[in-house]
Amino acid sequence: MNKTEMTAALAAKTGLTKKDAEKALTAVVDVITEALVAGEKVQMVGFGAFEVKARPERTAHNPQTGEAITIAASKAPVFKAGKALKDAVNN
């Protein structure tokens, strides 16, 4: 499902216009993004949690040359599904 399809589904479920549904969806994504950038955890009970995990610097090897390269430390957004979402997907 892409953003356009999600906007249409959101509009159908809520009775909002597609334009208003798109604004709402964009706002939710923006709020989650801003919270993650600020280092906060976003938790929606029953759905799941978004958070940022730190990845340490590590050494890897170029598969073509075998040369050792260093991969810089970084931060990655992660999503952990809640119990209700897991149960819905598995049933």
Side-chain angles (χ1 to χ4, degrees):
M1 176 180 278
N2 62 30
K3 186 177 179 181
T4 303
E5 293 167 341
M6 185 173 282
T7 300
L10 184 60
K13 276 210 178 257
T14 62
L16 294 172
T17 65
K18 284 187 180 180
K19 190 171 188 174
D20 287 341
E22 182 180 6
K23 285 181 185 178
L25 181 59
T26 301
V28 169
V29 171
D30 289 346
V31 168
I32 292 171
T33 302
E34 290 166 6
L36 293 176
V37 168
E40 299 174 27
K41 181 177 180 178
V42 179
Q43 187 169 347
M44 291 178 266
V45 176
F47 181 69
F50 297 90
E51 61 184 318
V52 176
K53 294 276 186 174
R55 292 185 177 170
E57 183 177 280
R58 62 191 173 98
T59 303
H61 296 280
N62 181 333
Q64 291 181 337
T65 64
E67 176 186 1
I69 57 173
T70 300
I71 299 174
S74 64
K75 295 178 185 176
V78 295
F79 174 76
K80 183 178 178 187
K83 183 174 182 346
L85 180 58
K86 288 179 189 176
D87 290 345
V89 169
N90 287 313
N91 289 332

